[in-house]
C-alpha cells in the first residue's frame, strides 16, 4: 500500500517555534537581530512555504483527511497550522513592513480558516467530553486556544478596526477551550492510575502554560484591561511555567534513568517543537508587557532580569532542537547508529 504520509501534520509547529523566536527573543541579541533578522525571516518564509505546500497536498487526499478528522485529539493539530501562519504574519510585518498589504491578505485567509477550526473545536470537545476515558487527551487540544489568540494578535497589528466585541468573543472562546482542555487532560490522568511520568506525559503538555502566555499576549495587544489585571495574569502564567517545567524536569530525570541520555531526552520528536514555542511565547508576552509604559509596575526590574536570562533559555532550547532535527534528517550526523526517533 502506498504511503499516504507526505508530511507530519504537526510540522507547522516548526514555523511556530522559529517564528516566535524572531518575533520576541531575538531582540535580546541585537547583533543577530540587526544583521541576520531579515535573512532569517526569509528563511522562515521559505520553510513555511515548504511546510504549508506539503500540508495542502496532504489534506486534499481523502485517504489521509478522513482518518485525521475522525481522531478527536490529533485533529486539534490544525490549530498549529493557523498559529504558525499567524506568527509568520507577525514576523513578516516586523522585518518587512512594506509587505503590509500582502500580509493582510494572508491574515484574512487565516482568519477564515480560524472560524472553521473553531467550529470543529466545539464538535471535538463535545466528542471528548462525552467519552473522556476513551481518548488519551494531551496538550495538543490546547492548540484550540493558541490558534484563537494568535489571530487576535494579528488583528491588533493589521486590523485595529475589528470590533472590541469580536476580539473579546474570540479571546473568551479561547479561554473556554483552555479550561475544557485542561479539565480533559486532568481526567485522562485521573482515570489511568497506572500512568507513568516517563512514558505517558506528553511533550505537548507544556502548552498548558504556552496557551496562557499567548492569551496574555493577546490581552496585552488589545489594551482593554487594567495594569493590575495584567500583573496578576503574568504572575499566574509564571506560576504555571514553574509548575509544568518542574514536572518536565522530573520526567527528564526519569527518562534518563530508564533509557540513558540519548534515547531519554536527546532523540528527535516533532512534538518537541511545542516546547520551543511555549518558551518563546512566554518571553514575547513578558517583553511586550515590559516595553509598554502603560504596564510598568513594581516588577519592572524583575522583568528586566528575567528577560535577559530567559532569552538565553529560549535560544539554547532552539539550538538544541535544531540540532536534534538536523541529526534526524541528515544521516551523516548520526555517526552510524541508525536509531530511529520515537
Amino acid at each position: 500500500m502506498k504511503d499516504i504520509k507526505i508530511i507530519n501534520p504537526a510540522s507547522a509547529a516548526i514555523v511556530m517555534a522559529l517564528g516566535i523566536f524572531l518575533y520576541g527573543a531575538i531582540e535580546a541579541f541585537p547583533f543577530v537581530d540587526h544583521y541576520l533578522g531579515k535573512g532569517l525571516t526569509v528563511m522562515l518564509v521559505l520553510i513555511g512555504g515548504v511546510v504549508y505546500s506539503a500540508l495542502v497536498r496532504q489534506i486534499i487526499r481523502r485517504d489521509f483527511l478522513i482518518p485525521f478528522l475522525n481522531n478527536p485529539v490529533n485533529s486539534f493539530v490544525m490549530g498549529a497550522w493557523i498559529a504558525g501562519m499567524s506568527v509568520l504574519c507577525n514576523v513578516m510585518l516586523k522585518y518587512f513592513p512594506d509587505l503590509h498589504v500582502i500580509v493582510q491578505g494572508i491574515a484574512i485567509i487565516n482568519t477564515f480558516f480560524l472560524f472553521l477550526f473553531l467550529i470543529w473545536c466545539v464538535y471535538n470537545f463535545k466528542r471528548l467530553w462525552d467519552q473522556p476515558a476513551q481518548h488519551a487527551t494531551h496538550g495538543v487540544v490546547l492548540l484550540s486556544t493558541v490558534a484563537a489568540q494568535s489571530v487576535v494578535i494579528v488583528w491588533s497589528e493589521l486590523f485595529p478596526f475589528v470590533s472590541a466585541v469580536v476580539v473579546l468573543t474570540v479571546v473568551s472562546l479561547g479561554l473556554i477551550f483552555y479550561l475544557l482542555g485542561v479539565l480533559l487532560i486532568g481526567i485522562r490522568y485521573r482515570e489511568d492510575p497506572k500512568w507513568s511520568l516517563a512514558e505517558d506525559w506528553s511533550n505537548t503538555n507544556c502548552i498548558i502554560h504556552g496557551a496562557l502566555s499567548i492569551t496574555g499576549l493577546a490581552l496585552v495587544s488589545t489594551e482593554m484591561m487594567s495594569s493590575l489585571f495584567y500583573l496578576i495574569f503574568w504572575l499566574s502564567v509564571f506560576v504555571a511555567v514553574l509548575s509544568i517545567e518542574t514536572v518536565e524536569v522530573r520526567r527528564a530525570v526519569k527518562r534518563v534513568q530508564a533509557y540513558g541520555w540519548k534515547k531519554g531526552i536527546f532523540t528527535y520528536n516533532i512534538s518537541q517543537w511545542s516546547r520551543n514555542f511555549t518558551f518563546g511565547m512566554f518571553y514575547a508576552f513578558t517583553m511586550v508587557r515590559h516595553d509598554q509604559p502603560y504596564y510598568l509596575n513594581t516588577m519592572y526590574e524583575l522583568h528586566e532580569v528575567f528577560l535577559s536570562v530567559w532569552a538565553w533559555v529560549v535560544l539554547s532550547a532552539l539550538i538544541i532542537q535544531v540540532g536534534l532535527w538536523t541529526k534526524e534528517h541528515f544521516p551523516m550526523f548520526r555517526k552510524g547508529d541508525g536509531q530511529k526517533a520515537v
Side-chain angles (χ1 to χ4, degrees):
M1 180 177 178
K2 187 177 180 180
D3 188 3
I4 64 174
K5 185 175 180 180
I6 299 173
I7 188 174
N8 191 305
S11 294
I14 299 173
V15 180
M16 293 167 59
L18 298 175
I20 198 60
F21 173 77
L22 293 175
Y23 181 76
I26 194 175
E27 295 189 5
F29 310 97
F31 178 86
V32 178
D33 188 16
H34 181 73
Y35 291 102
L36 300 178
K38 288 188 175 181
L40 291 173
T41 299
V42 172
M43 289 180 61
L44 178 66
V45 171
L46 293 175
I47 292 171
V50 171
V51 169
Y52 283 99
S53 62
L55 286 173
V56 169
R57 284 187 290 117
Q58 181 155 282
I59 63 177
I60 62 176
R61 298 180 61 165
R62 186 179 181 87
D63 51 357
F64 167 81
L65 183 61
I66 300 304
F68 176 67
L69 293 179
N70 283 335
N71 189 313
V73 175
N74 291 343
S75 58
F76 275 98
V77 82
M78 290 187 290
W81 307 351
I82 294 167
M85 192 60 71
S86 295
V87 174
L88 190 59
C89 286
N90 284 321
V91 176
M92 290 174 64
L93 192 64
K94 174 182 177 180
Y95 286 101
F96 297 98
D98 292 341
L99 298 179
H100 187 271
V101 175
I102 295 175
V103 177
Q104 276 188 321
I106 297 172
I108 290 172
I109 296 172
N110 203 37
T111 297
F112 171 74
F113 283 110
L114 170 70
F115 286 119
L116 292 180
F117 176 62
L118 293 180
I119 295 171
W120 190 253
C121 286
V122 173
Y123 174 65
N124 267 350
F125 273 120
K126 182 179 185 303
R127 294 166 70 190
L128 291 174
W129 198 257
D130 287 343
Q131 295 181 310
Q134 299 299 313
H135 306 282
T137 307
H138 54 90
V140 73
V141 300
L142 301 178
L143 286 173
S144 54
T145 301
V146 172
Q149 315 302 24
S150 74
V151 172
V152 169
I153 295 167
V154 172
W155 289 348
S156 70
E157 295 283 345
L158 293 170
F159 311 110
F161 51 82
V162 174
S163 168
V165 174
V166 174
V167 171
L168 285 178
T169 298
V170 174
V171 171
S172 300
L173 188 58
L175 282 170
I176 292 172
F177 287 162
Y178 179 83
L179 293 175
L180 288 173
V182 170
L183 282 173
L184 286 167
I185 293 170
I187 291 172
R188 176 258 176 104
Y189 290 114
R190 185 195 66 187
E191 296 298 318
D192 182 11
K194 296 182 179 180
W195 74 275
S196 164
L197 184 60
E199 295 294 335
D200 301 309
W201 181 266
S202 172
N203 288 320
T204 59
N205 285 344
C206 63
I207 305 177
I208 292 173
H209 65 76
L212 284 179
S213 291
I214 197 171
T215 298
L217 182 56
L219 289 170
V220 168
S221 300
T222 64
E223 299 183 352
M224 292 180 180
M225 305 297 178
S226 68
S227 179
L228 178 61
F229 173 87
Y230 290 119
L231 172 61
I232 294 173
F233 196 93
W234 185 88
L235 287 171
S236 300
V237 179
F238 184 58
V239 171
V241 171
L242 291 178
S243 301
I244 297 301
E245 292 310 315
T246 296
V247 176
E248 292 280 1
V249 170
R250 290 180 56 201
R251 173 185 180 238
V253 170
K254 288 182 177 295
R255 287 188 61 83
V256 170
Q257 291 173 341
Y259 305 110
W261 287 93
K262 183 177 180 180
K263 186 177 178 182
I265 58 176
F266 289 123
T267 297
Y268 177 77
N269 188 290
I270 189 70
S271 63
Q272 293 161 349
W273 290 101
S274 60
R275 183 174 299 106
N276 297 98
F277 175 75
T278 57
F279 283 6
M281 184 52 69
F282 187 47
Y283 183 96
F285 171 34
T286 307
M287 177 191 73
V288 172
R289 181 178 177 275
H290 178 75
D291 288 346
Q292 296 187 17
Y294 175 72
Y295 303 121
L296 300 187
N297 51 66
T298 55
M299 297 192 70
Y300 183 83
E301 292 78 11
L302 173 62
H303 287 164
E304 191 81 17
V305 175
F306 173 80
L307 286 170
S308 65
V309 174
W310 197 250
W312 284 100
V313 173
V314 175
L315 178 61
S316 300
L318 189 59
I319 291 173
I320 292 171
Q321 184 62 17
V322 170
L324 292 176
W325 180 90
T326 302
K327 183 179 178 182
E328 172 65 18
H329 290 84
F330 295 91
M332 70 282 293
F333 295 108
R334 298 182 190 171
K335 297 181 180 180
D337 59 20
Q339 186 174 3
K340 185 178 179 181
V342 294

